[in-house]
Structure formats: C-alpha cells, structure tokens
Amino acid sequence: MAKDNNTNPKKPKFSSWWIYGLIAIVLIGFQFIGSGNLSNQEKTTTSELQEYLRNGDVEKIMIITNARQAKVYLTDEALNKDVHKSVSEKPMFPSTAATPQYVLDYGDLQNFENEIKKSKADNDLDTIVDYDTDNNYLMDLLLGILPFALLIGIWIYLMRRMSGGGGGGAGGQIFNIGKSKAKLFDEKTDTRTSFKDVAGLEGAKEEVEEIVEFLRNPDKYTSLGGKIPKGALLVGPPGTGKTLLAKAVAGEAKVPFFSLSGSDFVEMFVGVGASRVRDLFKQAKDKSPAIIFIDEIDAIGRARGKNNFTGSNDERENTLNQLLTEMDGFGTNTNVIVLAATNRADVLDKALMRAGRFDRQIYVDLPDIRERKEIFEVHLRPIKTSEKLDLDFLARQTPGFSGADIANVCNEAALIAARKEKKAVTKQDFLDAVDRIVGGLEKKNKIITPGEKKTIAYHEAGHATTSWMLEHAAPLVKVTIVPRGQSLGAAWYLPEERLIVRPEQMLDEMCAALGGRAAEKVIFDKISTGALSDLEKVTKQARAMVTVYGLNDEIGNLTYYDSSGQDSYGFSKPYSEETAQKIDQEISKIIEKQYQRAIEVLTEHKDKLTTLAERLLEKEVIFKEDLVKIFGKRPYDKQFDEKGQEITETERTAEDRDEDIIAEEKA
C-alpha cells in the first residue's frame, strides 16, 4: 500500500492565480528593462563628472528635465580605460538605443548648466549637451488600468465565492445553494472500511452485503423476475454501528457512494431542501448504479402534519415530499439504492417506511456477549496488550455496552496504561477504563467530613447487603466510597442480559436500589439526599410496571405506551384523572413495600452490614471476595459457559457426577 501511495503522488491543483502571478512578473521585468535597471549603469557625482570632462571622456550629456537627472555617455576611447572598466561591459539585454554609462542626480538646473559650460570653455570640449524628458509609457498605462483591474478582480472573486467556486460554506453559496452537498466516496483516496472491520451484527451485515451484491451482479436476481430493492433503513440505538456499516458498504461496493447527513438538506431559504434532493438523485442517476447514504434521516423524515400550528408552508415537509417522489415516483431509476440510518424510527413518516421506498428495515441492536468479544478483537488490533488478556472476561464485564462504548473502553485502557508507564495494556487497565466511563473521573481530593464519609459507607454497604441477599438482584462486583463524577460512592453490579423480565426480578432490583436509604434508616434512624439517583431509578421502574408493562393487579393488563410515537392524544393523557390518581397510588405502594422489605433484610443482617461498612471505611474499595468472607458464598450465583450461556442446575449436576466418576477412576 505504501508503494502505491508513493507511485501516485498527489498532484498540485492548477490555479488561475498562477497566470496572474506570471503576468505580474513579466510586467515587472519589462519595467526593469525599460528603466535600464538591468543595464551596466553607475551613479556618479558632479565632481566626478567635472573630472571626466577635463579628461575628455564624455561624449554626450543628456539632461532629463522632468526627473532632475543627467545621463552621461562616454566616448569609445574612454571605455577602454581602467577607470571606466565597471561600465564598459555590454548590457544584459541588447537595445537599439544607446545606453548611458553614468547617471547623475543634479540639484538646480541652471547651476548645473553653468558648470558644464564652464568646463567646456576651459578645456575646449565639443561635448554634446542635450535635453529630454523621460516617459515610462508602460508604467503610465499600468497606473491608468490598475484601478479598473482591481475592481474587476474583486468582483470576480466575490462572484466565485458566492457560487461556491472559492470554497465558501453553505451560507456563502448564493448561486449554488440548491446544489447537493453530498460527499462522493473515492475508493482510491479515502480510507477504506471493509466488512472485516465490522464485528458482530451478523444479521444486519448479511442484509447489507446482499444489497452490495445486487449492485455488483444484478442479473443474478433480475433473471428470476426479482427487483433490486429501493432502499434499506438501518435502525438502532446510538453507537451500535449503523454509520460504520454504511462505511463498509462504501468500501466494499465498486459503485459511486454518496454520503450526507439529513441536516444537510435543511436551510433557511424556501425550496432549498427539495432542490438539493433533486440534485442529489440527479447526480446518482448520472453515475448509476450508485448508493446514496443519508445519516440521521429523522432530521427530514419526521411525520408530516405534526407541530405545524401556524398552518404555514413547512420547509421540512417539502423536502420529505421530494424525497418520497424521488424514491418511488414516475421516472425513477432502479439502479440507485438509498441507505439511511436513524435511532428514532418511531418518529419517521409512514409513507417513508412503506415497501417500495425503504423495502428493508434492518435493526442494529446492542451486541450480546459473543458479539462484544468480536468487537473487542477488532478494537484491540492496534493496542499492545498483555498475553494473559481474557476477552471472554472483558465481554462479560461490559453488558449493555454498544460498539462505540467498547471502542472507548479500549482507547481509555490504553491511555490509563500509558499514564502508568506500562509496556502493555493489562486486564486491570480495562477494568479501570470501565469504571472511568460508567462512573466518571475519580475525585480523591474531594473534601468529605468524617460523618458524611460514614453515611456514604453505610449507604453503599446497604446496597451491597440487599443485593447479596436477594435472589434476582444483579450480582455485585465491587463497592467503593471514592467519589466519581457526581456520585460520592458507588456499588458496581454485573446485570444479567435478559430478553424478558419478570415482576419478581424488577421488585428485587428496586429493593436493592432502596437498600442505601434503608441502611441509613436502620443504622442512624435518619435519611439523607444521597439516594436521589436511586429514587429516580426506582420511580421509573415502578411507573413502567404500572403504565407500560401491565404488571399491576389494580390497574390490570393495560398499557399506555405507544411504540409508534405518533399517538393522537396530543397534550391530553390517554386515561382519566381517576385512573391517574390510582396509578400514582400504585406506584407509591410498590416503592414503599420494597423499601420496608429492604429495611427488614438489613435489620436481620445488621451485624454483617456494620462489618462491611467498617471494612469499607478502612479500605475505601472492597470487592466480591470481601463480601464472601463476611456473608459466605452467595447461594444465587449463576455459572456461565464459554459462549456466555447460563449453566442450568441439571447441567451442573451432570458435570459434578462426571467429576466424581473421574475421581473414582483415578483412585
């Protein structure tokens, strides 16, 4: 690759300013030639001129009246003298007119004439004295033309800037404002991303690879009567790899690839968005087969008719209408495929989502444990890691992380290792990176009073104790009272990756979250504001149980959640005031019940809670091993195989039986 880059160096772009510069150099050269600056002339004085006259060396004196200058011409005999050796050489540029050897600046013309006359009379000289004026016609012409040339030049420059030729931005492109701002991907100069760089996302990758194959080999599909799809919509949470997938398509497809953002269509002028859509598809059709990628399409693809209270013409709707027409209207070219990405598919217009426009909706979900391992492998390629680094362990430690989050973890781990002056990135660096990203920056110098520190320690110990004693609560990793970010302490959990959640699991998690405040109540008989984030989390969970998932007996199997995001309720709630009051009561009941439950658990294990808090005050950071020493082995811990699948009780029993058989055979 390096050789290819060296053999094809980037050629400098031709600029019209080079021509202007060359013309200026030529004009300056003519000026020098015309003024005699390049000829062999020397300055002389009046006394030297008198001496030359006495010696009979001067043939002619030309007095330039308008320049107060005299030009001295020597005789042929005088040029052979050593005195005039410096001016005897021929000029660099030959001239038809005679060139003077000396130039003299005089003061008063009359005095100068009298001195010359006296010298001629005293020495009986026949030196010719003549008079002339020095006119530089080229310079006069330039001075006359220069103001007009400057005005014309400024006008041309402004016109080019306004038309986009001078590299002006979107605000300066007056005459080119309706042109598309899509970037055409060039596989020769741009950094190439392939499908090998996209880890995980097997299903989405297959769908997109098929689209690329459509464009490479269309006969394979059209021979059976099939049609090439019009478009594919990539939907998923932020950071899951939607844009990366599009970059891989640009790198793999051997066709022109136009890339732009949804906001590039939006402008303050009316009709600009629709004009840019038309220009974009025109460019794509001219280069067909081609791919158009619109990132963050929700900027122009929102449902029409919403939030238009004024009744005025909506520029975004006009842009969307033009996009709909171009994707599936009269005269459309089937060799142009549109890729789009968004994390807000719920707000997109229904007409945009129908078959014939975006034929395929590819959901790019958060990676599971196996996909996270693959993503780690990709991002760890340029990083120097220790040989003992366990990728399965890293994948288990990062549940709910997106591809972008994992890339950030790898980069942060490398920075932490470099900060500690290590030669390779170790397992601990990755764990520190996860803590840094999830919790924030450590603030060891934060001023905390002993009383506050004790309260924080019991608060975090309460979380740890309740989660340890509850079956469905997330297993604990470590507890710390070192301030991070906005939190004064934290209990780190490793949540299970569940596809469905049962009520008892949600209730146990709520109880564990309320364990901090419950511990403050049990130990100090006082509560504090330190449980704000816990209360926020618990309230959201309780509200979801009642209003979204239908997990409350009093409200029943109802949900007030609209997955389309296009509900027709407006500002009004989809339930009555009586139901709203009942919902609030049920939410409060659920939370208070779990709070009392947390108090009961902590009261039962008060001695262990105190031991844990004291150890936490001593060490500031304690791990799962410390909790095992205090509470004993947790009865609810689950075991996982290499693929991240949970080992059931039956499988575990069978494994134990096999181990016993092997032990008996050895005996």
Side-chain angles (χ1 to χ4, degrees):
M1 291 297 292
K3 289 182 179 178
D4 296 341
N5 293 335
N6 291 332
T7 54
N8 296 317
K10 201 170 182 180
K11 296 180 179 178
K13 293 182 179 179
F14 179 77
S15 176
S16 59
W17 294 105
W18 293 1
I19 300 174
Y20 303 149
L22 186 63
I23 293 170
I25 291 169
V26 171
L27 292 174
I28 293 168
F30 275 122
Q31 173 64 20
F32 269 96
I33 295 168
S35 61
N37 290 333
L38 296 179
S39 61
N40 294 330
Q41 295 179 357
E42 283 190 6
K43 286 272 188 179
T44 188
T45 60
T46 308
S47 58
E48 288 177 347
L49 178 62
Q50 294 292 338
E51 186 179 351
Y52 298 156
L53 287 169
R54 285 195 295 271
N55 295 332
D57 295 340
V58 180
E59 181 184 0
K60 180 181 176 181
I61 298 175
M62 180 68 72
I63 299 174
I64 310 298
T65 55
N66 63 336
R68 290 184 178 274
Q69 195 177 61
K71 296 178 181 179
V72 181
Y73 299 84
L74 301 180
T75 60
D76 295 336
E77 294 82 6
L79 291 173
N80 296 324
K81 296 180 179 179
D82 294 335
V83 181
H84 308 294
K85 190 176 180 180
S86 59
V87 296
S88 61
E89 296 178 2
K90 293 183 178 180
M92 188 181 297
F93 295 94
S95 176
T96 55
T99 55
Q101 280 74 41
Y102 293 102
V103 177
L104 170 69
D105 293 326
Y106 59 85
D108 185 68
L109 179 60
Q110 189 173 359
N111 292 336
F112 183 65
E113 289 176 337
N114 293 334
E115 287 176 2
I116 294 173
K117 287 178 181 178
K118 186 179 179 184
S119 296
K120 284 177 68 178
D122 293 344
N123 298 293
D124 194 19
L125 302 174
D126 56 353
T127 303
I128 302 170
V129 179
D130 205 352
Y131 298 87
D132 198 4
T133 56
D134 197 357
N135 294 319
N136 193 336
Y137 297 103
L138 184 62
M139 185 56 67
D140 294 340
L141 182 65
L142 285 175
L143 290 173
I145 295 176
L146 188 62
F148 299 100
L150 281 174
L151 288 173
I152 294 169
I154 292 169
W155 183 78
I156 292 171
Y157 175 76
L158 291 175
M159 290 298 105
R160 289 188 63 183
R161 291 285 295 183
M162 288 190 292
S163 62
Q173 297 179 359
I174 304 289
F175 299 106
N176 247 0
I177 198 166
K179 298 290 183 181
S180 169
K181 296 195 287 184
K183 181 188 176 185
L184 180 61
F185 178 81
D186 189 356
E187 61 178 7
K188 295 180 181 177
T189 58
D190 293 348
T191 305
R192 190 167 175 179
T193 305
S194 64
F195 286 123
K196 294 179 181 178
D197 300 320
V198 183
L201 311 177
E202 277 79 7
K205 204 185 320 182
E206 285 178 9
E207 293 275 357
V208 174
E209 282 177 343
E210 194 176 23
I211 291 173
V212 175
E213 186 64 24
F214 276 143
L215 294 171
R216 285 183 179 175
N217 189 13
D219 296 336
K220 177 181 175 182
Y221 303 92
T222 56
S223 61
L224 300 175
K227 293 182 179 179
I228 296 175
K230 294 287 182 64
L233 183 64
L234 302 171
V235 184
T240 50
K242 301 183 294 294
T243 307
L244 180 64
L245 209 55
K247 287 181 180 177
V249 173
E252 294 282 348
K254 304 296 182 183
V255 297
F257 187 90
F258 296 88
S259 173
L260 76 166
S261 172
S263 59
D264 289 337
F265 295 105
V266 183
E267 198 70 62
M268 63 177 289
F269 302 105
V270 177
V272 169
S275 176
R276 286 179 179 172
V277 171
R278 284 192 295 271
D279 186 66
L280 173 63
F281 277 85
K282 182 178 178 299
Q283 291 181 38
K285 288 172 186 176
D286 293 340
K287 294 181 180 289
S288 65
I291 297 175
I292 295 172
F293 174 62
I294 305 174
D295 203 3
E296 307 297 345
I297 196 173
D298 52 279
I300 58 167
R302 288 178 178 265
R304 291 166 292 179
K306 301 287 182 181
N307 302 323
N308 191 7
F309 302 109
T310 61
S312 61
N313 185 29
D314 192 353
E315 175 64 13
R316 197 184 68 240
E317 288 189 5
N318 292 341
T319 307
L320 177 58
N321 291 337
Q322 188 62 46
L323 182 62
L324 296 175
T325 305
E326 292 289 345
M327 287 188 70
D328 187 20
F330 290 104
T332 53
N333 197 329
T334 56
N335 288 330
V336 177
I337 292 179
V338 182
L339 284 179
T342 182
N343 49 23
R344 297 290 311 279
D346 54 325
V347 302
L348 294 180
D349 195 273
K350 292 179 180 178
L352 193 64
M353 304 285 285
R354 75 160 176 85
R357 290 195 174 104
F358 285 112
D359 300 291
R360 300 187 174 188
Q361 294 181 33
I362 305 168
Y363 190 74
V364 186
D365 203 357
L366 289 170
D368 56 22
I369 185 168
R370 180 176 46 81
E371 290 175 334
R372 288 200 298 273
K373 182 182 176 183
E374 294 177 7
I375 295 169
F376 266 112
E377 288 176 354
V378 170
H379 291 296
L380 288 176
R381 286 174 192 166
I383 296 175
K384 292 182 180 178
T385 57
S386 63
E387 296 178 359
K388 298 179 181 179
L389 197 60
D390 186 7
L391 295 183
D392 292 312
F393 173 78
L394 293 178
R396 286 195 297 272
Q397 293 296 314
T398 51
F401 277 46
S402 65
D405 294 331
I406 292 173
N408 194 19
V409 167
C410 294
N411 184 60
E412 195 69 37
L415 296 178
I416 291 171
R419 203 177 297 134
K420 296 177 181 176
E421 297 183 356
K422 294 182 179 179
K423 300 295 182 184
V425 186
T426 61
K427 173 182 169 182
Q428 187 58 45
D429 296 326
F430 281 94
L431 293 177
D432 293 342
V434 172
D435 294 349
R436 168 73 176 83
I437 290 167
V438 175
L441 186 66
E442 271 192 17
K443 297 180 180 178
K444 293 183 178 179
N445 298 325
K446 198 172 185 108
I447 300 172
I448 301 174
T449 62
E452 289 175 335
K453 195 171 184 179
K454 188 177 180 181
T455 304
I456 296 166
Y458 275 98
H459 183 102
E460 301 303 333
H463 285 305
T465 305
T466 49
S467 64
W468 193 267
M469 296 300 170
L470 299 175
E471 181 180 356
H472 301 292
L476 193 80
V477 177
K478 73 173 185 179
V479 186
T480 176
I481 57 173
V482 178
R484 279 184 178 273
Q486 295 183 348
S487 64
L488 299 174
W492 303 94
Y493 303 98
L494 198 61
E496 295 180 25
E497 296 181 68
R498 307 185 182 113
L499 296 177
I500 58 171
V501 183
R502 301 190 183 279
E504 57 268 21
Q505 294 170 340
M506 296 183 75
L507 292 173
D508 280 4
E509 288 178 2
M510 291 168 67
C511 184
L514 291 168
R517 171 160 284 192
E520 294 180 30
K521 182 70 175 175
V522 170
I523 300 298
F524 305 107
D525 198 24
K526 295 177 183 179
I527 56 176
S528 67
T529 59
L532 175 60
S533 59
D534 304 325
L535 296 177
E536 184 185 2
K537 175 186 174 185
V538 166
T539 306
K540 284 181 179 178
Q541 280 184 313
R543 184 169 291 279
M545 286 181 69
V546 177
T547 62
V548 178
Y549 299 114
L551 299 176
N552 183 260
D553 295 333
E554 188 67 27
I555 301 299
N557 299 314
L558 294 175
T559 182
Y560 302 107
Y561 174 70
D562 183 25
S563 60
S564 66
Q566 302 179 15
D567 56 10
S568 57
Y569 302 115
F571 292 106
S572 63
K573 295 178 180 178
Y575 43 78
S576 65
E577 290 296 326
E578 185 181 350
T579 306
Q581 191 175 357
K582 195 181 292 184
I583 288 171
D584 292 339
Q585 289 173 356
E586 291 302 313
I587 292 171
S588 182
K589 278 182 187 178
I590 293 171
I591 295 172
E592 291 304 317
K593 187 177 179 181
Q594 296 309 312
Y595 178 61
Q596 293 300 324
R597 185 185 173 197
I599 289 176
E600 290 172 7
V601 171
L602 294 175
T603 305
E604 185 182 348
H605 302 90
K606 189 175 180 180
D607 54 341
K608 295 178 180 178
L609 170 67
T610 306
T611 306
L612 181 61
E614 288 175 354
R615 186 170 294 186
L616 192 57
L617 282 167
E618 181 186 350
K619 292 186 176 181
E620 289 194 339
V621 180
I622 59 175
F623 297 90
K624 185 179 178 181
E625 293 77 16
D626 298 290
L627 271 75
V628 173
K629 291 177 183 177
I630 297 173
F631 297 101
K633 188 177 179 183
R634 190 169 185 255
Y636 311 114
D637 277 351
K638 298 176 181 179
Q639 296 182 12
F640 300 90
D641 58 12
E642 294 179 353
K643 296 181 179 178
Q645 299 293 325
E646 182 185 349
I647 301 173
T648 60
E649 194 65 35
T650 309
E651 292 172 344
R652 201 177 297 134
T653 306
E655 287 179 3
D656 295 338
R657 198 184 305 117
D658 293 338
E659 288 177 1
D660 294 339
I661 293 169
I662 293 167
E664 288 175 3
E665 288 177 352
K666 286 183 178 179

